Amino acid sequence: GLKCPNCGASVDDASPFQGTLTHVESLQDAIAHLNDHSVDVVLSDLSLPDAQGLEAIQQLHGAFPDLAIVVLTGLRSEEVGLSALREGAQDYLVKGQIDHHLLIRTIRYAAERSKTQRVMRQQAAAMAASRDGIAILDHNFCFTYLNQAFAEICGYPHPDELLGRSCWELCAAQEQLRIRQTILPTIAAQDYWSGEMVGCRQDDSLFYQELSVSEFGQQEFVCIIRDISDRKAAEDSLRITRYSLDRVGDAVFMVQKDGRFLYVNEAACESLGYRHDELMA
């Protein structure tokens, strides 16, 4: 049996099991009960009056994807149990081979695995819905996961078009040396890098992006990108406007509603006899 690493007691002795058992005869009765009541674990036979074989597991998992399901089967075939796991069950038990400790341990582990999988599904849903591009790279810098936003930012209709491909394909040529000489060494030393970079879309057009890269696991990487091309264009336009206004002979003032100066050019400073920093303050 499993032992507690601290005191050496068995798991069952260390944390006594308490629960309430509800028994129903058919799959439809089970679904009706689950619609009205919160249940931690379902123990399901593979031979029910209204469902045979894996049909019950398929319907239960389809209707309640976060539900922990343990299959009870009289068939002495591991393949049946493995098939149930592929259909969404958490574990399986063979009738006639179940004792108290095995049953309690299986119920507990199934409930914990279900909670973990629910959190993972929630995280996956959040990543998929994010407006920021999120991708995971393996140790060869190839994509193992991308959300829809990442694909669209890079000019691809669907993430599947980039799965298994190298991220270097999305890096502008002028950035690749910087990545190898500066960014990768920073990630190796700090497990993280964040900054701006020029990316390359599917049609070879370039765009500005905010990029953050975090290393985790066995040399895997999480990349988060945001298209900032519009912001960069606005900043460039503002710099050009200010450069032009600084060189005109007329005094130019931009004033906020509260009366504070938002912008003054050199001619305005000269006409009022103040330094630029004095007026802006």
Side-chain angles (χ1 to χ4, degrees), residues 115-224:
K115 290 178 184 178
T116 300
Q117 291 178 355
R118 179 166 62 250
V119 172
M120 293 174 64
R121 281 193 293 270
Q122 291 170 343
Q123 292 173 340
M127 291 170 64
S130 173
R131 297 180 63 183
D132 289 338
I134 302 175
I136 298 177
L137 309 175
D138 63 16
H139 64 284
N140 291 318
F141 302 103
C142 293
F143 292 107
T144 59
Y145 169 84
L146 310 92
N147 67 352
Q148 183 65 33
F150 195 103
E152 291 179 354
I153 289 173
C154 297
Y156 290 82
H158 197 275
D160 287 349
E161 296 183 60
L162 284 168
L163 281 177
R165 294 169 60 177
S166 172
C167 70
W168 295 106
E169 299 178 31
L170 305 181
C171 301
Q174 64 267 33
E175 295 282 24
Q176 296 199 16
L177 183 61
R178 175 185 171 215
I179 293 172
R180 296 183 186 279
Q181 292 186 345
T182 303
I183 297 176
L184 290 180
T186 300
I187 296 173
Q190 303 176 4
D191 297 329
Y192 179 79
W193 179 88
S194 179
E196 295 182 2
M197 182 179 294
V198 178
C200 182
R201 294 191 177 94
Q202 184 181 24
D203 61 4
D204 293 329
S205 63
L206 302 180
F207 68 101
Y208 287 101
Q209 61 179 300
E210 281 183 347
L211 170 67
S212 64
V213 183
S214 301
E215 185 176 13
F216 74 100
Q218 297 298 317
Q219 287 189 309
E220 292 184 289
F221 305 89
V222 175
C223 301
I224 301 177

Side-chain angles (χ1 to χ4, degrees), residues 1-23:
L2 296 179
K3 299 292 184 179
C4 173
N6 296 321
C7 65
S10 70
V11 171
D12 295 330
D13 293 336
S15 52
F17 178 83
Q18 292 183 337
T20 301
L21 176 66
T22 300
H23 176 259

